[in-house]
Amino acid sequence: MASYTGGSAEQARVAKLQKEREKGRAKVEEAILKIKESGRGGTIAFATSKEEKVEEATGVGLVTLEELKCREAQLKQDQDQDNPVKKKKRKKEIKKLSFDIDDDEEECFVVKKKKIGKNPDVNTSFLPDKDREALEEQEIANLRQEWLQKQAEIKAQKVELTFNYWDGSGHRHKVLVTKGSTIEQFLSKALDELVTVYPDVKCVSVDMLMFVKADLIIPHHFTFYQFEQMKARGEKGPVFRFVPHKEEENKPPDLLKDDLQYGKVTLRSWYERNKHMFPANQWKAFDPEINWEKYTLEQTFKR
């Protein structure tokens, strides 16, 4: 080592640093010997070689902090240039760690576990199956869509409805509606028909009209489709029964009619004045909860 010439204080400081360096190196060598004896010499040998490289790069003696940082950065850059493929290999391959420098690195291959499938000879229908559940949900959705389309076609069917405008006597009229029409929509069309014939109903609104069928006062919010689906009945039988027209009537084949007793359209004011007299005293409000299937005419005479 080249001698350092300078002041006495500086020479003492350099001597002190050299002693500390020698003590540190002695501790490292002592640790290396201990680890080699215990069978782990490879790691320390690697550390020692690295330390020597750092020493060679930084040099011996006092250097400034900026020079030390520049030399360490240059050493790291040289190491990366020497091993450009090292990082890629670590990502692609899984290798065993070896603490022996002389031993070659051994590659470790990962064995993929095979997925165990179901036994085709065993009934597994009670077990959860995502694929089967997805197929069932799709089938249910298709059936629901098909049912909704069929119901829409039924509601769109046209019906020629005959009714009597009742003011104490019957006056027969006809209107064309669909099964999906409400009673209110039917009464609106009936009112348009009656206005042209009876001047006394010109100031009447739909809310002032009543529709009576099979002696039942039908609420305005019900549809003909609902009556057909629930198979509504009164004391005298079914409320509606829609059938095709006969061939001799010369009607379109898709046009339906109600072949039961004609319903009555009357004013609420007339009903309030005459509800104690026949036939208004026989009319009752329609209640879908009442079951008239077992009703007989004998019960009428017993009351």
Side-chain angles (χ1 to χ4, degrees):
M1 176 179 173
S3 62
Y4 176 78
T5 59
S8 59
E10 294 296 332
Q11 289 180 359
R13 182 170 173 270
V14 170
K16 185 179 179 181
L17 291 174
Q18 287 179 353
K19 287 179 181 181
E20 291 178 356
R21 187 180 185 85
E22 289 175 359
K23 287 181 181 180
R25 184 176 296 177
K27 288 182 181 180
V28 171
E29 291 177 355
E30 185 180 353
I32 291 170
L33 292 175
K34 288 182 180 180
I35 294 175
K36 281 185 177 180
E37 291 175 359
S38 61
R40 298 183 298 173
T43 305
I44 301 303
F46 174 76
T48 305
S49 62
K50 183 177 180 181
E51 183 183 359
E52 291 175 355
K53 289 180 180 179
V54 174
E55 288 180 1
E56 292 176 0
T58 57
V60 180
L62 295 176
V63 293
T64 61
L65 180 60
E66 295 180 356
E67 292 178 354
L68 181 61
K69 289 183 178 180
C70 291
R71 291 179 182 180
E72 288 180 353
Q74 184 64 30
L75 177 61
K76 187 176 181 181
Q77 185 177 0
D78 294 341
Q79 289 177 354
D80 294 340
Q81 291 177 356
D82 294 338
N83 300 320
V85 193
K86 191 173 181 180
K87 295 182 179 178
K88 294 183 179 179
K89 286 187 176 180
R90 287 181 181 175
K91 293 182 180 179
K92 293 183 179 179
E93 301 178 359
I94 301 174
K95 298 181 178 180
K96 290 184 178 179
L97 292 176
S98 176
F99 295 96
D100 194 355
I101 299 176
D102 299 332
D103 293 342
D104 295 331
E105 296 181 351
E106 297 180 0
E107 295 183 358
C108 178
F109 297 95
V110 179
V111 180
K112 294 183 179 180
K113 294 183 179 180
K114 294 183 178 179
K115 186 178 179 182
I116 301 175
K118 297 178 182 178
N119 189 347
D121 299 330
V122 179
N123 182 17
T124 59
S125 58
F126 59 92
L127 295 176
D129 190 337
K130 293 183 179 179
D131 296 336
R132 185 176 66 244
E133 291 175 358
L135 290 174
E136 290 177 355
E137 291 178 359
Q138 183 63 33
E139 185 177 358
I140 291 173
N142 293 337
L143 291 175
R144 177 178 176 79
Q145 187 65 27
E146 183 180 351
W147 182 83
L148 291 174
Q149 184 177 358
K150 188 176 293 184
Q151 300 309 307
E153 293 176 356
I154 294 174
K155 291 179 181 180
Q157 290 179 345
K158 295 181 179 181
V159 180
E160 188 181 50
L161 205 60
T162 304
F163 67 93
N164 286 320
Y165 172 62
W166 192 263
D167 56 357
S169 60
H171 309 279
R172 190 168 299 177
H173 297 273
K174 293 182 180 180
V175 293
L176 192 64
V177 295
T178 62
K179 285 186 178 181
S181 301
T182 61
I183 301 301
E184 183 179 7
Q185 292 172 340
F186 156 70
L187 290 176
S188 177
K189 290 188 175 183
L191 183 60
D192 294 340
E193 175 73 17
L194 297 176
V195 166
T196 60
V197 182
Y198 310 100
D200 56 335
V201 298
K202 288 185 178 181
C203 299
V204 173
S205 64
V206 176
D207 296 335
M208 300 170 65
L209 295 177
M210 293 173 51
F211 181 53
V212 182
K213 189 75 161 61
D215 289 343
L216 295 176
I217 302 172
I218 309 299
H220 288 190
H221 64 275
F222 279 101
T223 65
F224 298 103
Y225 169 80
Q226 289 176 313
F227 277 97
E228 186 179 41
Q229 294 298 314
M230 71 176 67
K231 298 179 180 179
R233 294 177 60 89
E235 293 181 358
K236 299 180 180 179
V239 179
F240 294 101
R241 185 170 61 194
F242 301 114
V243 296
H245 283 82
K246 297 180 180 179
E247 295 181 359
E248 56 269 17
E249 295 179 1
N250 296 325
K251 298 288 184 178
D254 57 342
L255 184 63
L256 303 178
K257 69 174 182 178
D258 180 22
D259 68 340
L260 298 178
Q261 183 182 8
Y262 301 144
K264 298 180 179 65
V265 175
T266 185
L267 295 172
R268 290 184 183 274
S269 57
W270 183 92
Y271 172 73
E272 293 296 333
R273 292 194 307 268
N274 300 279
K275 61 183 178 181
H276 62 285
M277 300 172 56
F278 183 86
N281 61 352
Q282 301 294 316
W283 299 348
K284 303 178 183 63
F286 172 73
D287 186 358
E289 301 296 330
I290 298 179
N291 185 6
W292 298 99
E293 291 184 359
K294 297 182 180 180
Y295 187 86
T296 59
L297 292 177
E298 295 180 0
Q299 295 175 351
T300 305
F301 297 110
K302 288 179 181 179
R303 287 191 303 175

